[in-house]
Amino acid sequence: GREKAARDSGTEGHAALKQQVLQVDSVLNEMCHVIKICNKFGQFISQLAPGVAGLSEDLANSIHSLSGQYLVLEEFYLSTCIEKASSVTGVNPETHISTRIEDVFWVVQRCSQRAYSTCSLLAALPMGNLVSELLRTHVQEPLQGEAQALAARARN
């Protein structure tokens, strides 16, 4: 009875997390679209009426704030997806490391392209740093550990 309840709650938790990740993905797409439109509008306003500094400053502050919120949410999405991709392939010993890397890089590419689509350095540059850090901690270091463990077993 307890094992089934634990398994069922784990399945429900997985389904809930998957639903949250899908919702976050949708929100991130919308946020990127809004950031892009605001950037283009800001460029239009600055060309049309360069003397309207107050409007441009307010818009720039809003874009900066939205970009910061976007990055926090994108970091959650990216790290959750990378951890999930690593855990799913890590559970099955028959799964090759290349499958894990493929899954992780698909997620990284999706998030990077989304950040670049904003046409905003406020979103794109920090995303590059975030991707680099997450790849180091969630891909490079675990793979190095696995390679060292395989090398040690081969020597013995």
Side-chain angles (χ1 to χ4, degrees):
R2 287 185 183 173
E3 290 177 14
K4 183 180 183 321
R7 191 172 50 245
D8 290 346
S9 69
T11 303
E12 289 171 9
H14 173 72
L17 178 62
K18 185 177 180 179
Q19 184 63 30
Q20 283 178 331
V21 168
L22 290 174
Q23 289 173 342
V24 168
D25 185 54
S26 178
V27 169
L28 286 167
N29 287 330
E30 294 300 321
M31 288 176 84
C32 286
H33 184 69
V34 169
I35 292 169
K36 182 178 182 177
I37 296 298
C38 288
N39 276 324
K40 288 188 176 199
F41 181 72
Q43 291 172 353
F44 172 74
I45 290 296
S46 66
Q47 291 173 354
L48 184 66
V52 186
L55 178 63
S56 296
E57 287 177 25
D58 289 344
L59 184 59
N61 290 337
S62 296
I63 292 170
H64 186 66
S65 176
L66 184 59
S67 295
Q69 293 170 4
Y70 158 76
L71 288 167
V72 168
L73 199 54
E74 189 75 84
E75 180 177 8
F76 165 78
Y77 177 83
L78 186 57
S79 61
T80 301
C81 290
I82 287 175
E83 288 173 12
K84 184 66 182 164
S86 295
S87 69
V88 167
T89 56
V91 169
N92 185 356
E94 298 295 317
T95 305
H96 297 287
I97 292 173
S98 62
T99 303
R100 180 184 335 166
I101 292 172
E102 215 173 87
D103 292 347
V104 167
F105 277 96
W106 182 86
V107 172
V108 166
Q109 182 180 23
R110 177 171 177 73
C111 294
S112 297
Q113 287 175 342
R114 181 168 35 220
Y116 301 144
S117 76
T118 64
C119 301
S120 170
L121 293 177
L122 294 171
L125 293 178
M127 180 53 63
N129 291 334
L130 176 62
V131 164
S132 175
E133 179 63 23
L134 288 173
L135 287 177
R136 186 183 61 75
T137 58
H138 292 285
V139 178
Q140 180 188 5
E141 290 174 0
L143 287 177
Q144 282 179 333
E146 289 177 31
Q148 290 171 353
L150 287 172
R153 275 188 254 150
R155 283 188 292 243
N156 295 332

